[in-house]
């Protein structure tokens, strides 16, 4: 008997409608702007989220025009030094046409330091699905949605010195989720960590505290801005930058951690992304995220098939709302940013549609949006859809959505790989998505009808079990390895039942 798949995996997201007419001209991964009629101001205040493209800067689906300058004490001063996945805070205004004007752009590393204690999780094919490691005792996890610079998920190893931009997860040990990881030259005079001060470790008389066991010492001159030593006891998160000496971080600067990104700015509006910290509380209609209390009301718009009860700890979402007088946020719109489907294979260049910002891989229709990040596994090129115009092997992670009578994979991240090109007849594909239809021996996953044969191998299930589950109203998530012996005809070599987590 199959269990119902959670929101993180598939059920409600796959049923959500998508307005392709609105998205049709979005410049995914830094392409052109949104070619719809100009509109009025949608928000004035702060936008906090990872960079998804350039040509100015794309954050949270908005193309912000900037003056090219970046405020940071981490060696990044110009827009052209930014990388996809880096989390920015932008002060400015954004409009209903998907464009905005930035008054300021701020960036701050979450971590800089040496990777230790790396472990990895493999998928059924032996490919690296995620890695977990520590940086001076702080635990970080990276996965297929993490953007890498000069290093990769598979090659990240102990001893690598990296910069990380990420979010704190609702984990009792204070684990962080990486949005961006970039390789740096090793320099333990220039490290940075953040986290909660360990209970009982703050000793003002000795000018020291610890974060997850990492001892930090400081002087009175280390405190940034208006922060003082007396504030340490009340900080939700603290950030320390300095030198590692004999296992101790000697801080030259101490500041509040990532929660300061989300403070009220020049206006009352805020849009931001991050993992939910606490499950939705139905009694007061609230949840916590990024150090903020967010309330919903009857006017809150839920996209992607979401409902308030679906907001569970760890789920990556995007919120747009207004600050209230008490510092909380009243949400106007909430949408999912957690990938739940994927496709790997050679791009069909004949399907590239620059007007709609779509293409097909293994028959799957892929839709780019202003939030889509496009990368290359071997370079730091800032890519657009036009850069995919070739016989490239692509790995696409995204959200499965219903589009009219069909299915579209809305891409969160597209990785281009130039090494696996080959004749069309030799191309094989792999997809992961919800089983949405069964007709005899044909299974439909991600909108593609895949024929099963007597040679199709089933892992963790059988053909009959899947048919019975579908007939009973269940929609299990499947990983399908398939090929295209003739154009438009897809045959499954292996079908595996994915686990619920």
């Amino acid at each position: 008997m199959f269990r119902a798949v959670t929101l993180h995996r598939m059920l409600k997201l796959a049923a959500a409608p998508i307005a392709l007419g609105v998205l049709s001209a979005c410049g995914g991964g830094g392409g052109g702007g949104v070619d719809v009629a100009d509109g009025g101001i949608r928000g004035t205040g702060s936008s906090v989220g990872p960079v998804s493209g350039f040509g100015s800067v794309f954050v949270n689906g908005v193309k912000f025009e900037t003056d090219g300058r970046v405020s940071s004490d981490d060696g990044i001063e110009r827009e052209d030094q930014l990388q996809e996945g880096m989390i920015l805070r932008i002060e400015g205004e954004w409009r209903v046409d998907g464009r905005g004007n930035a008054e300021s752009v701020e960036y701050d590393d979450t971590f800089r330091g040496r990777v230790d204690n790396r472990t990895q999780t493999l998928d059924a094919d032996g490919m690296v699905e995620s890695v977990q490691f520590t940086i001076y005792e702080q635990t970080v996890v990276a996965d297929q949605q993490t953007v890498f610079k000069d290093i990769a998920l598979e090659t990240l190893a102990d001893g690598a010195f990296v910069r990380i931009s990420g979010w704190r997860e609702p984990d009792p040990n204070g684990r962080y989720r990486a949005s961006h990881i970039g390789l740096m030259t090793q320099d333990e005079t220039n490290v940075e960590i953040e986290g909660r001060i360990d209970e009982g470790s703050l000793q003002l008389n000795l000018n020291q505290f610890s974060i997850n066991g990492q001892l930090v010492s400081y002087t009175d001159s280390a405190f940034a801005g208006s922060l003082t030593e007396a504030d340490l006891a009340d900080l939700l998160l603290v950030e320390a930058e300095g030198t590692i000496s004999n296992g101790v971080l000697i801080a030259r600067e101490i500041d509040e951690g990532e929660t300061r990104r989300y403070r009220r700015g020049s206006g009352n509006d805020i849009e931001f992304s991050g993992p939910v910290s606490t499950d939705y509380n139905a009694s007061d209609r609230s949840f916590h995220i990024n150090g903020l209390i967010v309330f919903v009301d009857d006017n809150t718009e839920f996209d992607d098939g979401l409902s308030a009860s679906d907001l569970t700890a760890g789920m990556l979402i995007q919120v747009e709302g207004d600050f209230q007088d008490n510092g909380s946020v009243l949400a106007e719109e909430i949408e999912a940013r957690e990938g739940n489907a994927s496709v790997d294979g050679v791009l069909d260049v004949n399907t590239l549609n620059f007007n709609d910002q779509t293409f097909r891989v293994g028959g799957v229709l892929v839709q780019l949006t202003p939030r889509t990040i496009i990368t290359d596994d071997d370079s730091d090129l800032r890519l657009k859809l036009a850069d995919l115009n070739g016989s490239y092997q692509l790995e696409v992670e995204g959200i499965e959505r219903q589009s009219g009578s069909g299915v579209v994979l809305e891409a969160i991240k597209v990785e281009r790989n130039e090494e696996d090109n080959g004749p069309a007849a030799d191309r094989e594909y792999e997809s992961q998505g919800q089983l949405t239809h069964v007709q005899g021996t044909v299974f439909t996953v991600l909108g593609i009808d895949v024929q099963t044969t007597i040679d199709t191998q089933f892992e963790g299930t059988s053909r009959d079990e899947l048919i019975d589950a579908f007939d009973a109203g269940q929609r299990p998530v499947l990983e399908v390895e398939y090929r295209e012996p003739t154009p438009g005809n897809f045959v499954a070599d292996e079908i595996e039942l994915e686990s619920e987590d």
Side-chain angles (χ1 to χ4, degrees):
M1 184 68 177
F2 295 100
R3 291 185 292 172
V5 180
T6 64
L7 176 73
H8 286 60
R9 303 297 296 167
M10 205 60 68
L11 279 178
K12 294 196 174 183
L13 297 181
I18 181 170
L20 286 179
V22 174
L23 294 174
S24 62
C26 294
V34 182
D35 294 330
V36 297
D38 287 343
I41 299 299
R42 194 177 86 214
T44 301
S46 308
S47 183
V48 186
V51 177
S52 60
F54 296 91
S56 288
V57 174
F58 283 83
V59 172
N60 292 326
V62 175
K63 180 183 179 181
F64 284 97
E65 299 294 339
T66 76
D67 62 7
R69 292 179 294 180
V70 178
S71 175
S72 172
D73 61 359
D74 296 330
I76 293 177
E77 300 175 344
R78 306 183 313 275
E79 180 184 308
D80 61 6
Q81 294 175 294
L82 295 172
Q83 296 289 327
E84 283 90 345
M86 287 182 169
I87 299 172
L88 303 183
R89 176 186 170 106
I90 292 179
E91 284 289 310
E93 63 180 25
W94 53 98
R95 302 184 292 276
V96 296
D97 65 357
R99 296 181 174 92
N101 295 312
E103 296 176 359
S104 64
V105 178
E106 301 175 18
Y107 174 74
D108 184 38
D109 287 334
T110 309
F111 297 100
R112 282 192 312 277
R114 188 187 66 250
V115 171
D116 286 310
N117 304 310
R118 179 192 185 274
T119 60
Q120 64 185 25
T121 301
L122 303 179
D123 63 16
D125 300 318
M127 303 299 291
V128 179
E129 195 168 65
S130 65
V131 297
Q132 181 172 294
F133 56 94
T134 61
I135 290 188
Y136 310 116
E137 309 304 327
Q138 318 313 301
T139 302
V140 182
V141 63
D143 58 23
Q144 295 292 338
Q145 287 185 219
T146 304
V147 181
F148 289 85
K149 177 182 183 293
D150 297 329
I151 200 167
L153 185 65
E154 297 80 9
T155 60
L156 182 69
D158 285 0
F161 197 89
V162 297
R163 75 178 342 136
I164 296 173
S165 184
W167 301 281
R168 186 178 176 90
E169 288 196 322
D171 180 88
N173 297 317
R175 189 175 75 169
Y176 281 75
R177 176 173 180 168
S179 176
H180 170 90
I181 297 179
L183 187 65
M184 301 182 70
T185 300
Q186 181 157 330
D187 180 5
E188 289 200 308
T189 68
N190 185 33
V191 304
E192 178 173 347
I193 65 171
E194 78 162 50
R196 288 197 177 104
I197 295 176
D198 296 333
E199 186 175 356
S201 71
L202 178 58
Q203 300 183 65
L204 301 182
N205 60 321
L206 297 177
N207 287 48
Q208 67 181 31
F209 57 84
S210 64
I211 301 175
N212 256 23
Q214 172 61 57
L215 185 62
V216 178
S217 68
Y218 58 89
T219 64
D220 292 340
S221 63
F223 294 94
S226 61
L227 193 70
T228 68
E229 184 182 37
D231 297 321
L232 290 176
D234 299 322
L235 289 182
L236 180 64
L237 296 174
V238 65
E239 168 189 285
E241 298 183 58
T243 298
I244 294 291
S245 178
N246 297 320
V248 178
L249 198 167
I250 303 172
R252 62 175 171 270
E253 182 174 310
I254 294 177
D255 203 347
E256 187 176 5
E258 66 160 19
T259 50
R260 73 180 190 273
R261 295 174 182 159
Y262 306 95
R263 293 287 165 78
R264 187 196 305 256
S266 58
N268 288 330
D269 299 314
I270 185 170
E271 57 178 5
F272 60 89
S273 56
V276 176
S277 301
T278 62
D279 292 353
Y280 174 73
N281 185 336
S283 62
D284 65 1
R285 307 183 72 180
S286 74
F287 62 96
H288 290 72
I289 179 172
N290 297 334
L292 295 172
I293 301 176
V294 178
F295 289 92
V296 304
D297 63 12
D298 293 341
N299 295 318
T300 302
E301 178 183 347
F302 286 89
D303 296 338
D304 311 319
L306 289 174
S307 65
S309 61
D310 296 320
L311 301 174
T312 55
M315 181 184 181
L316 189 63
I317 64 172
Q318 183 172 315
V319 178
E320 184 167 358
D322 297 315
F323 276 106
Q324 306 300 292
D325 291 341
N326 62 2
S328 66
V329 172
L330 178 61
E332 295 178 354
E333 184 176 356
I334 300 175
E335 59 184 292
R337 294 300 300 148
E338 193 79 72
N340 62 9
S342 64
V343 64
D344 298 349
V346 175
L347 166 70
D348 183 350
V349 294
N350 296 319
T351 65
L352 281 168
N353 187 319
F354 293 97
N355 291 325
D356 291 346
Q357 293 281 292
T358 60
F359 57 83
R360 290 185 183 271
V361 173
V364 176
L365 180 62
V366 179
Q367 171 75 61
L368 304 187
T369 80
R371 285 184 290 269
T372 304
I373 295 172
I374 306 178
T375 66
D376 185 279
D377 68 333
D378 290 326
S379 75
D380 297 328
L381 294 175
R382 298 176 175 183
L383 302 182
K384 303 178 182 180
L385 179 58
D387 298 307
L388 303 181
N389 191 6
S391 184
Y392 293 114
Q393 183 89 8
L394 302 183
E395 298 179 15
V396 183
E397 297 280 336
I399 300 173
E400 180 179 352
R401 304 195 192 279
Q402 194 71 32
S403 170
S405 59
V407 171
V408 63
L409 177 59
E410 183 180 299
I412 295 174
K413 180 183 175 185
V414 178
E415 183 176 286
R416 187 183 74 174
N417 188 324
E418 300 187 53
E419 298 179 353
D420 298 328
N421 301 340
D426 296 337
R427 292 173 186 171
E428 298 177 343
Y429 307 97
E430 183 176 308
S431 67
Q432 180 177 299
Q434 183 179 220
L435 177 63
T436 56
H437 188 69
V438 176
Q439 182 67 46
T441 57
V442 176
F443 291 1
T444 302
V445 176
L446 279 181
I448 302 305
D449 295 333
V450 181
Q451 176 70 54
T452 63
T453 70
I454 59 173
D455 295 323
T456 301
Q457 298 182 13
F458 288 84
E459 297 289 337
T461 185
S462 68
R463 180 187 289 105
D464 290 342
E465 287 177 334
L466 290 175
I467 292 173
D468 290 344
F470 183 83
D471 289 341
Q474 299 178 41
R475 300 294 181 264
V477 176
L478 305 179
E479 183 176 287
V480 184
E481 295 181 11
Y482 62 103
R483 50 193 164 82
E484 189 177 11
T486 59
N489 295 311
F490 302 103
V491 178
D493 292 323
E494 183 177 302
I495 295 179
E496 180 180 0
L497 178 67
E498 287 294 285
S499 60
E500 182 179 357
D501 55 310

